[in-house]
């Protein structure tokens, strides 16, 4: 089985722009969660989608949004980028009724 | 919301020694506690997990213990090897439903020859 795939792997944007990141879960997995990883704040939960519905949400501003498609692929969007949004964005998938989360390799976003 | 504290932030051991990393959580409704290993530039990889109805779980050189009363859980690595060097994260989930993981701040483990 293919693992969790995130695209793109690297992104460079400037302040004020917006960005869309993509995550393809392991085949058959319906839950996709997103996390932000920074040296200062560690791993922080952004949101979780299950069957195209947002099931959980972390404490991030409304500039961070996401969605999930019928094939379970998920995207997250960050609008009006700020320097502090520079981070590694990780997604993780898990099966229905399962707790184990498998992480993708991440998208490293740099905001200049 | 859930809060997870992790100690120590750095740990240096000699090859062959044991390493112990400790975490505490705040929400008694949490029922799933995974441990992830993250090598430099790599994705977090699950190494072991434990559910709240179990007190201890072992997988070869790695074990996890859970004390629900004290809201503590710990990772034990025996016979450490240089390839065990990495950052280890504990996490908790289950409170409120879904798969939201609340992570500890990580422990940088260095195994010296």
């Amino acid at each position: 089985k293919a693992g969790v795939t995130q695209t793109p792997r690297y992104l460079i944007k400037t302040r004020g722009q917006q960005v869309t990141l993509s995550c393809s879960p392991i085949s058959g997995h319906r839950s996709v969660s997103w996390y932000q990883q920074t040296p200062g704040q560690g791993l922080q939960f952004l949101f979780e989608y299950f069957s195209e519905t947002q099931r959980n949400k972390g404490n991030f501003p409304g500039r961070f949004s996401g969605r999930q498609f019928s094939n379970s692929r998920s995207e997250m969007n960050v609008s009006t980028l700020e320097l502090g949004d520079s981070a590694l964005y990780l997604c993780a998938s898990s099966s229905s009724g399962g707790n184990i989360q498998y992480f993708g390799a991440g998208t490293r976003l740099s905001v200049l | 919301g859930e809060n997870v504290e992790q100690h120590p932030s750095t740990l240096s051991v000699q090859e062959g020694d044991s390493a112990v990393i400790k975490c505490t959580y705040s929400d008694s409704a949490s029922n799933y506690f995974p441990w992830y290993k993250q090598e430099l530039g790599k994705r977090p990889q699950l190494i072991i997990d434990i559910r709240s109805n179990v007190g201890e779980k072992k997988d070869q050189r790695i074990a996890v213990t859970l004390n629900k009363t004290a809201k503590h859980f710990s990772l034990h690595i025996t016979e450490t090897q240089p390839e065990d060097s990495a950052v280890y994260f504990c996490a908790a989930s289950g409170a409120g439903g879904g798969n939201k993981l609340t992570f500890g701040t990580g422990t940088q483990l260095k195994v010296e020859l």
Side-chain angles (χ1 to χ4, degrees):
Chain A
K1 258 186 188 178
V4 179
T5 304
Q6 291 188 246
T7 57
R9 290 295 314 279
Y10 304 93
L11 267 176
I12 300 175
K13 293 286 187 179
T14 56
R15 279 184 303 171
Q17 288 187 310
Q18 74 164 14
V19 66
T20 299
L21 313 182
S22 179
C23 174
S24 293
I26 291 171
S27 177
H29 286 191
R30 292 164 63 189
S31 167
V32 175
S33 297
W34 289 88
Y35 297 86
Q36 181 194 66
Q37 186 172 27
T38 59
Q41 299 297 318
L43 278 153
Q44 292 189 290
F45 173 80
L46 281 153
F47 28 66
E48 178 198 5
Y49 285 87
F50 181 81
S51 293
E52 301 179 65
T53 301
Q54 188 178 85
R55 184 158 72 171
N56 275 300
K57 189 177 188 306
N59 297 321
F60 279 80
R63 300 185 297 107
F64 291 81
S65 62
R67 59 178 176 168
Q68 187 179 34
F69 302 95
S70 58
N71 62 357
S72 294
R73 189 177 70 85
S74 177
E75 289 181 346
M76 68 164 279
N77 183 276
V78 188
S79 62
T80 319
L81 284 166
E82 300 177 1
L83 296 178
D85 296 334
S86 295
L88 179 66
Y89 289 89
L90 293 159
C91 80
S93 75
S94 55
S95 61
S96 304
N99 295 116
I100 298 175
Q101 293 193 40
Y102 300 89
F103 281 85
T107 294
R108 185 163 296 281
L109 173 64
S110 297
V111 182
L112 307 178
Chain B
E2 175 68 281
N3 183 52
V4 177
E5 294 189 1
Q6 182 172 349
H7 299 281
S9 57
T10 61
L11 180 59
S12 185
V13 300
Q14 295 292 314
E15 184 181 8
D17 286 351
S18 296
V20 180
I21 303 170
K22 298 182 179 183
C23 290
T24 60
Y25 61 100
S26 61
D27 194 330
S28 56
S30 289
N31 57 17
Y32 175 67
F33 307 92
W35 286 87
Y36 284 87
K37 174 184 180 182
Q38 188 175 29
E39 297 176 77
L40 192 62
K42 302 275 186 73
R43 72 190 73 192
Q45 298 264 17
L46 179 73
I47 55 171
I48 196 166
D49 58 6
I50 192 167
R51 300 181 195 280
S52 58
N53 58 350
V54 176
E56 185 173 357
K57 183 176 178 181
K58 189 174 181 181
D59 182 4
Q60 299 183 331
R61 297 185 298 109
I62 295 173
V64 57
T65 58
L66 171 65
N67 182 329
K68 279 194 301 183
T69 304
K71 290 188 271 187
H72 289 172
F73 58 114
S74 300
L75 177 70
H76 304 253
I77 306 174
T78 59
E79 300 171 22
T80 53
Q81 301 167 2
E83 52 265 38
D84 294 329
S85 296
V87 179
Y88 291 80
F89 293 96
C90 63
S93 81
N99 288 324
K100 172 185 177 180
L101 284 173
T102 301
F103 283 90
T105 48
T107 296
Q108 175 75 62
L109 173 64
K110 183 178 180 181
V111 180
E112 298 176 335
L113 297 172

